């Protein structure tokens, strides 16, 4: 089997369900009598390794880090006015989780913006806070990887934008 993978060891990638990871290797394994090339990705934050068959990479939603332009659009989204629909929380929670799992930084930024609470605003429910923190973590990890800064600096940058909005 020839290795026609568009990713190489050392590349940073985004897997929608887990966020930013780094390609460790491309392994050749025989599983159930079938020879497969597998992309091995490490997610340090979750202490997890994921193996994806090279032939399934496209349909898995795996992608390269966003461009600086796309990330800038996401950061501009943070400065916008929060849009909270007047639907039941369970429905909104599903929509927020779908946006987070899409892997799209602009959609994730919308969730961060909509669920952000400043010190002067009422407290969030536990589930709102959980979804907010997941979205914030996904956004800041990708921002950190793009700008070659640590996650704390990326979080501070995002929170500064949210507080200025």
């Amino acid at each position: 089997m020839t290795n026609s993978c568009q990713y190489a060891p050392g590349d940073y990638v985004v897997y929608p369900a887990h966020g930013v990871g780094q390609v460790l290797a491309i392994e050749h394994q025989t599983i159930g009598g079938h020879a497969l090339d597998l992309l091995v990705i490490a997610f340090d934050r979750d202490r997890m390794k994921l193996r994806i068959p090279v032939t399934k990479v496209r349909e898995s939603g795996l992608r390269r880090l966003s461009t600086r332009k796309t990330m800038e659009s996401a950061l501009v989204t943070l400065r916008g006015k929060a849009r909270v629909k007047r639907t039941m929380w369970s429905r909104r929670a599903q929509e927020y989780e779908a946006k987070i799992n899409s892997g799209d930084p602009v959609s994730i930024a919308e969730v961060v913006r909509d669920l952000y609470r400043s010190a002067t605003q009422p407290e969030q429910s536990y589930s709102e806070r959980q979804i907010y923190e997941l979205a914030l973590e996904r956004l800041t990890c990708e921002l950190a990887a793009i700008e070659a800064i640590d996650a704390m600096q990326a979080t501070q940058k995002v929170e500064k934008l949210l507080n200025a909005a």
Side-chain angles (χ1 to χ4, degrees):
M1 210 180 267
T2 58
N3 182 0
S4 61
C5 185
Q6 59 188 354
Y7 301 103
D11 287 353
Y12 283 95
V13 294
V14 177
Y15 186 73
H18 298 291
V20 176
Q22 187 173 22
V23 176
L24 295 181
I26 299 171
E27 295 178 346
H28 185 75
Q29 291 185 4
T30 302
I31 300 171
H34 298 283
L36 291 173
D37 285 326
L38 301 170
L39 195 61
V40 182
I41 304 165
F43 297 90
D44 289 340
R45 207 165 180 92
D46 299 331
R47 293 188 186 93
M48 177 182 88
K49 283 186 185 162
L50 178 68
R51 286 174 169 76
I52 304 173
V54 170
T55 56
K56 301 285 185 188
V57 164
R58 185 180 306 265
E59 64 197 65
S60 74
L62 188 75
R63 64 170 174 81
R64 295 192 176 281
L65 290 176
S66 298
T67 61
R68 285 184 180 272
K69 186 175 182 181
T70 301
M71 185 52 72
E72 191 54 44
S73 295
L75 296 178
V76 165
T77 299
L78 294 174
R79 294 187 207 118
K81 186 164 172 41
R83 293 191 192 105
V84 179
K85 294 179 182 165
R86 300 281 176 230
T87 56
M88 287 178 48
W89 167 247
S90 59
R91 171 71 49 85
R92 282 185 305 164
Q94 284 179 324
E95 289 174 10
Y96 290 144
E97 287 177 354
K99 284 182 174 188
I100 292 168
N101 290 331
S102 74
D104 172 43
V106 175
S107 294
I108 296 170
E110 289 172 2
V111 176
V112 171
R113 176 199 66 205
D114 293 351
L115 292 178
Y116 174 72
R117 295 284 183 275
S118 70
T120 60
Q121 291 176 305
E123 191 66 27
Q124 289 176 305
S125 70
Y126 177 77
S127 56
E128 279 181 310
R129 196 166 51 253
Q130 292 294 102
I131 292 174
Y132 169 76
E133 288 172 2
L134 177 62
L136 182 65
E137 185 255 327
R138 292 277 172 85
L139 186 65
T140 56
C141 283
E142 188 164 1
L143 176 63
I146 291 168
E147 295 193 356
I149 57 178
D150 67 38
M152 183 59 90
Q153 289 172 302
T155 302
Q156 289 169 347
K157 183 173 183 171
V158 167
E159 288 176 345
K160 187 177 176 183
L161 288 169
L162 289 165
N163 285 323

